[in-house]
Amino acid sequence: MITLKKADYEKMLTHAKKELPNEACGLLAGVIEGTEKKVEKVYLLTNMEHSNEHFFLDPKEQLTAIKDMRANGLVLLGNWHSHPESPSSPSEEDKRFAYDKKASYMILSLMNREHPVLHSFKIEENYAKKEILLIEE
């Protein structure tokens, strides 16, 4: 299970809408308690691809985020990105580039602009399994 604050969800949604028609992306940091992950901070990074079908996290911004995580006692939990035109499920490319089987991969679909959908996945060997995602106040 992974828990996300509603304010962080709103932050991701605002960033994703601002980046339209391109995909938005970022990192998720927090703490791990047993089998549960708690997102404590969402990082909004630049999509170096500037594409509505692909994303590539800015390496300099990634490094800055990792340093900030360490300074604040947080660990990298995974990443997130938006799908401007497709559902909230990993594409074949998303699966191919999911190198860390312990990471959470959140996908925010803006396919229906009035009803965005956010799901989190564990991806291992080209297989995606939906994680329980709890968005709390």
Side-chain angles (χ1 to χ4, degrees):
M1 179 168 80
I2 187 163
T3 305
L4 179 70
K5 294 180 204 126
K6 187 173 182 189
D8 284 332
Y9 166 75
E10 295 292 337
K11 180 179 176 180
M12 292 163 61
L13 183 58
T14 299
H15 183 63
K17 287 180 176 179
K18 181 178 97 52
E19 292 300 310
L20 287 171
N22 297 326
E23 288 191 2
C25 55
L27 296 175
L28 305 166
V31 295
I32 300 172
E33 298 167 349
T35 59
E36 297 182 13
K37 296 177 181 179
K38 185 171 184 181
V39 177
E40 297 288 339
K41 190 164 185 179
V42 170
Y43 295 86
L44 310 177
L45 276 59
T46 302
N47 177 359
M48 299 295 286
E49 291 281 322
H50 305 288
S51 166
N52 70 341
E53 295 181 347
H54 310 282
F55 76 98
F56 182 79
L57 300 167
D58 181 302
K60 289 179 185 176
E61 292 175 359
Q62 282 185 71
L63 183 59
T64 300
I66 297 296
K67 287 179 180 179
D68 183 73
M69 288 174 208
R70 289 181 182 158
N72 289 290
L74 303 174
V75 296
L76 177 64
L77 299 177
N79 68 49
W80 74 273
H81 72 282
S82 63
H83 280 183
E85 308 290 335
S86 59
S88 176
S89 58
S91 67
E92 290 305 312
E93 182 174 282
D94 292 336
K95 291 179 200 173
R96 196 169 50 253
F97 289 113
Y99 296 114
D100 186 353
K101 64 183 179 183
K102 294 179 184 174
S104 293
Y105 297 91
M106 286 191 191
I107 300 174
L108 176 61
S109 173
L110 299 174
M111 190 169 72
N112 180 336
R113 302 284 196 261
E114 298 300 314
H115 301 284
V117 176
L118 178 67
H119 291 300
S120 186
F121 300 87
K122 297 292 246 173
I123 303 174
E124 186 174 354
E125 295 180 16
N126 209 33
Y127 175 74
K129 180 181 178 191
K130 198 181 287 187
E131 279 187 293
I132 296 171
L133 171 61
L134 178 62
I135 299 175
E136 59 184 22
E137 296 295 324

